[in-house]
Amino acid sequence: MKIIQLYKNEARLIKRAIANNREAQNVLYELHSPKMLSVCRYYIKDIQKAEDVMLNGFFKVFSNLKKFQNSGSFEGWIRKIMIREAISFLRTQKNIEFSIEDVGVDETPSSTINVELEVSDIQKLIDELPEGYKIVFVMYAIEGYKHQEISEMLNISVGTSKSQLFKARNMLQKKINQLNRKSHGAIEI
């Protein structure tokens, strides 16, 4: 299978989906829903709620399909919708809190990690972060947003975004170090 052919098929599917072809919409959904559920799951711990958010996101995708410009990747366009939908959901749940204490963000956590973690273990560690830390961490470290973009999307200052990322990294580093000590038989006091 050629990647170019897949792109052409996707462009054709998009045109058919815009014309309300249910089969084309279903194929697009089937192609992208596994990844988009993962995106929603990064932000939302409860899998059923993440699925609901993803379904609402796909409703918006298909409602706004005519607005897709073909100037970037279709998957990236869908991903942005899912991220905004997840953030909107969290706002309605009032789960987002950003601590505003000042932290020096010039320091970086140690990067010596000697423990092997499964994806599910990493997701669990991320899920344990406070919501504000988690959202900024996922947006920056996983989604690749810059602090300016994060601040605009979350209506926070750039400094708050940097502070939340710093705190999230420190908290994750501590948790990974604890796992590292446990996996090497060290006793915690």
XYZ file of all heavy atoms in Angstrom, residues 43-88:
382
model
N -6.454 13.337 28.401
C -6.998 14.415 29.217
C -8.018 13.936 30.236
O -8.188 14.540 31.286
C -7.653 15.474 28.323
C -6.673 16.156 27.403
C -6.434 15.670 26.125
C -5.982 17.285 27.821
C -5.516 16.294 25.289
C -5.072 17.913 26.990
C -4.842 17.406 25.725
O -3.938 18.025 24.896
N -8.748 12.879 29.907
C -9.882 12.449 30.719
C -9.637 11.027 31.204
O -9.513 10.101 30.399
C -11.193 12.537 29.900
C -11.392 13.977 29.441
C -12.373 12.030 30.713
C -12.391 14.150 28.342
N -9.579 10.880 32.507
C -9.231 9.600 33.124
C -10.281 8.517 32.875
O -9.947 7.387 32.559
C -9.053 9.823 34.629
C -8.538 8.651 35.383
C -8.299 9.037 36.836
C -7.681 7.896 37.602
N -7.346 8.283 38.965
N -11.546 8.846 32.994
C -12.641 7.894 32.857
C -12.865 7.567 31.377
O -13.182 8.446 30.580
C -13.913 8.501 33.468
C -15.082 7.542 33.461
O -15.456 7.070 32.357
O -15.638 7.298 34.540
N -12.717 6.299 31.022
C -12.789 5.893 29.623
C -14.161 6.166 29.009
O -14.253 6.561 27.844
C -12.370 4.403 29.434
C -12.244 4.038 27.945
C -13.327 3.466 30.126
C -11.089 4.649 27.246
N -15.242 5.974 29.779
C -16.573 6.226 29.227
C -16.767 7.716 28.925
O -17.346 8.078 27.902
C -17.686 5.749 30.187
C -17.914 4.259 30.160
C -16.912 3.479 31.013
O -16.310 4.028 31.924
N -16.735 2.212 30.706
N -16.275 8.556 29.820
C -16.375 9.998 29.581
C -15.499 10.407 28.399
O -15.883 11.250 27.603
C -16.004 10.778 30.837
C -17.047 10.629 31.927
C -16.675 11.382 33.179
C -17.749 11.157 34.244
N -17.397 11.794 35.512
N -14.331 9.779 28.292
C -13.443 10.062 27.152
C -14.129 9.658 25.846
O -14.029 10.364 24.839
C -12.111 9.332 27.312
N -14.836 8.528 25.855
C -15.573 8.095 24.657
C -16.681 9.084 24.311
O -16.886 9.400 23.134
C -16.168 6.700 24.873
C -15.155 5.590 24.832
C -15.739 4.225 25.162
O -16.887 4.148 25.671
O -15.041 3.234 24.920
N -17.390 9.571 25.334
C -18.447 10.563 25.092
C -17.870 11.829 24.470
O -18.440 12.385 23.528
C -19.168 10.928 26.397
C -20.071 9.806 26.898
O -20.357 8.875 26.120
O -20.471 9.877 28.080
N -16.732 12.268 25.000
C -16.083 13.466 24.467
C -15.656 13.230 23.025
O -15.835 14.088 22.159
C -14.885 13.886 25.348
C -14.018 14.931 24.667
C -15.392 14.396 26.703
N -15.120 12.039 22.750
C -14.702 11.719 21.387
C -15.903 11.742 20.439
O -15.818 12.298 19.340
C -14.024 10.359 21.326
C -13.566 9.982 19.919
S -13.183 8.237 19.715
C -14.797 7.476 19.876
N -17.016 11.168 20.868
C -18.210 11.159 20.018
C -18.712 12.583 19.760
O -19.078 12.916 18.630
C -19.306 10.303 20.645
C -19.022 8.801 20.670
C -20.090 8.066 21.472
C -18.904 8.234 19.271
N -18.711 13.419 20.797
C -19.081 14.831 20.602
C -18.109 15.515 19.647
O -18.510 16.329 18.818
C -19.108 15.571 21.939
C -20.285 15.182 22.797
O -21.303 14.718 22.304
N -20.134 15.362 24.098
N -16.832 15.156 19.784
C -15.819 15.709 18.885
C -16.072 15.312 17.439
O -15.984 16.136 16.531
N -16.420 14.044 17.226
C -16.712 13.610 15.853
C -17.973 14.266 15.313
O -18.057 14.537 14.119
C -16.787 12.085 15.746
C -15.463 11.459 15.421
C -14.735 10.799 16.393
C -14.922 11.564 14.144
C -13.505 10.248 16.105
C -13.693 11.016 13.842
C -12.971 10.359 14.828
N -18.940 14.532 16.174
C -20.110 15.270 15.726
C -19.678 16.638 15.192
O -20.118 17.067 14.124
C -21.124 15.435 16.872
C -22.314 16.246 16.488
C -23.316 15.715 15.695
C -22.420 17.572 16.892
C -24.410 16.480 15.313
C -23.511 18.347 16.524
C -24.508 17.807 15.735
N -18.761 17.294 15.911
C -18.255 18.591 15.458
C -17.423 18.450 14.189
O -17.473 19.311 13.308
C -17.451 19.269 16.561
C -18.329 19.766 17.675
C -17.572 20.537 18.716
C -18.558 21.040 19.766
N -17.911 21.757 20.842
N -16.652 17.370 14.094
C -15.856 17.128 12.891
C -16.773 17.071 11.678
O -16.557 17.772 10.677
C -15.040 15.815 13.005
C -14.503 15.374 11.643
C -13.890 15.987 13.996
N -17.818 16.253 11.746
C -18.691 16.086 10.595
C -19.576 17.307 10.351
O -19.917 17.603 9.210
C -19.513 14.799 10.707
C -18.659 13.566 10.603
C -18.604 12.643 11.630
C -17.871 13.350 9.473
C -17.797 11.520 11.526
C -17.061 12.234 9.358
C -17.021 11.317 10.395
N -19.897 18.040 11.412
C -20.679 19.272 11.247
C -19.864 20.377 10.576
O -20.418 21.247 9.911
C -21.162 19.782 12.608
O -22.026 18.861 13.201
N -18.558 20.331 10.772
C -17.676 21.392 10.257
C -16.737 20.910 9.162
O -15.761 21.583 8.846
C -16.853 21.981 11.409
C -17.724 22.690 12.414
O -18.310 23.714 12.118
N -17.819 22.129 13.603
N -17.028 19.777 8.579
C -16.142 19.180 7.579
C -15.885 20.103 6.394
O -14.795 20.104 5.824
C -16.730 17.847 7.115
C -15.781 16.807 6.563
C -14.597 16.572 7.460
C -16.517 15.507 6.333
N -16.865 20.929 6.047
C -16.690 21.861 4.924
C -15.595 22.888 5.213
O -15.018 23.455 4.290
C -17.999 22.599 4.635
C -19.076 21.715 4.069
C -20.365 22.473 3.867
C -21.445 21.526 3.378
N -22.749 22.152 3.281
N -15.299 23.106 6.486
C -14.287 24.098 6.879
C -12.866 23.551 6.769
O -11.915 24.317 6.847
C -14.530 24.578 8.311
C -15.831 25.346 8.454
C -16.034 25.786 9.893
C -17.358 26.495 10.045
N -17.642 26.847 11.441
N -12.717 22.232 6.614
C -11.378 21.662 6.470
C -10.788 22.141 5.145
O -11.373 21.944 4.090
C -11.416 20.129 6.521
C -10.071 19.488 6.312
C -9.030 19.713 7.204
C -9.848 18.678 5.216
C -7.790 19.133 7.012
C -8.610 18.086 5.016
C -7.581 18.327 5.908
N -9.625 22.767 5.219
C -9.019 23.437 4.072
C -8.077 22.570 3.238
O -7.543 23.037 2.242
C -8.227 24.662 4.558
C -9.047 25.657 5.339
C -9.940 26.471 4.440
O -9.538 26.859 3.355
N -11.164 26.718 4.889
N -7.794 21.346 3.651
C -6.790 20.500 2.978
C -5.401 21.124 2.996
O -4.561 20.780 2.183
C -7.193 20.173 1.531
C -8.237 19.082 1.459
O -8.201 18.132 2.234
N -9.177 19.234 0.550
N -5.162 22.070 3.916
C -3.847 22.721 3.972
C -2.906 21.993 4.922
O -1.716 22.242 4.911
C -3.995 24.185 4.408
O -4.591 24.246 5.687
N -3.414 21.114 5.737
C -2.603 20.314 6.655
C -3.171 18.918 6.702
O -4.013 18.548 5.884
N -2.735 18.165 7.675
C -3.246 16.794 7.758
C -4.656 16.786 8.334
O -4.986 17.561 9.236
C -2.314 15.922 8.605
O -2.655 15.957 9.961
N -5.456 15.916 7.809
C -6.830 15.756 8.287
C -6.819 15.251 9.723
O -7.590 15.720 10.563
C -7.586 14.796 7.362
C -9.034 14.630 7.716
C -9.902 15.711 7.697
C -9.533 13.379 8.062
C -11.252 15.557 8.026
C -10.871 13.209 8.383
C -11.731 14.308 8.366
N -5.920 14.329 10.009
C -5.813 13.798 11.367
C -5.463 14.908 12.361
O -6.016 14.964 13.454
C -4.757 12.693 11.439
C -4.624 12.085 12.813
C -3.568 10.997 12.873
O -3.521 10.152 11.954
O -2.798 10.999 13.848
N -4.562 15.787 11.982
C -4.196 16.910 12.843
C -5.371 17.837 13.098
O -5.549 18.351 14.207
N -6.183 18.054 12.073
C -7.366 18.900 12.194
C -8.357 18.271 13.177
O -8.882 18.950 14.055
C -7.992 19.085 10.814
C -9.177 19.989 10.756
C -9.172 21.355 10.821
C -10.544 19.595 10.604
N -10.458 21.834 10.709
C -11.325 20.770 10.577
C -11.187 18.371 10.482
C -12.709 20.759 10.440
C -12.566 18.352 10.344
C -13.311 19.536 10.320
N -8.576 16.967 13.032
C -9.476 16.261 13.942
C -8.920 16.314 15.368
O -9.651 16.549 16.327
C -9.673 14.787 13.516
C -10.362 14.701 12.170
C -10.469 14.020 14.563
C -10.465 13.275 11.627
N -7.620 16.099 15.481
C -6.960 16.083 16.794
C -7.190 17.397 17.545
O -7.474 17.400 18.732
C -5.474 15.814 16.581
C -4.699 15.562 17.821
C -3.229 15.262 17.465
N -2.635 14.552 18.532
C -2.438 13.244 18.578
N -2.776 12.492 17.557
N -1.900 12.681 19.637
N -7.080 18.531 16.837
C -7.309 19.831 17.474
C -8.740 19.943 17.993
O -8.971 20.482 19.072
C -7.013 20.973 16.500
C -5.548 21.205 16.278
C -5.308 22.372 15.345
C -3.821 22.569 15.140
N -3.520 23.687 14.258
N -9.675 19.430 17.226
C -11.073 19.456 17.658
C -11.235 18.607 18.922
O -11.895 19.023 19.880
C -12.010 18.968 16.529
C -12.022 19.997 15.394
C -13.421 18.706 17.050
C -12.731 19.547 14.137
N -10.612 17.440 18.951
C -10.717 16.556 20.117
C -10.099 17.199 21.361
O -10.657 17.095 22.460
C -10.049 15.204 19.843
C -10.708 14.393 18.766
S -12.411 13.959 19.181
C -13.018 13.515 17.563
N -8.963 17.849 21.193
C -8.306 18.502 22.327
C -9.200 19.606 22.878
O -9.415 19.701 24.093
C -6.929 19.061 21.916
C -5.963 17.909 21.619
C -6.363 19.981 23.002
C -4.688 18.335 20.922
N -9.739 20.417 21.996
C -10.626 21.497 22.449
C -11.877 20.938 23.120
O -12.365 21.482 24.112
C -10.992 22.397 21.280
C -9.832 23.267 20.853
C -10.253 24.325 19.837
N -9.134 25.192 19.551
C -8.443 25.178 18.430
N -8.787 24.336 17.460
N -7.431 26.001 18.243
N -12.388 19.857 22.594
C -13.576 19.222 23.173
C -13.261 18.671 24.566
O -14.059 18.815 25.494
C -14.078 18.113 22.243
C -15.458 17.630 22.534
C -16.545 18.665 22.314
O -16.342 19.636 21.555
O -17.621 18.508 22.921
N -12.090 18.052 24.725
C -11.683 17.511 26.031
C -11.511 18.642 27.048
O -11.967 18.526 28.193
C -10.395 16.706 25.896
N -10.880 19.719 26.642
C -10.685 20.862 27.542
C -12.034 21.470 27.913
O -12.284 21.805 29.077
C -9.739 21.902 26.906
C -8.317 21.324 26.826
C -9.754 23.211 27.704
C -7.363 22.153 25.986
N -12.910 21.586 26.944
C -14.248 22.116 27.204
C -14.994 21.229 28.203
O -15.649 21.727 29.124
C -15.024 22.205 25.889
O -16.330 22.630 26.115
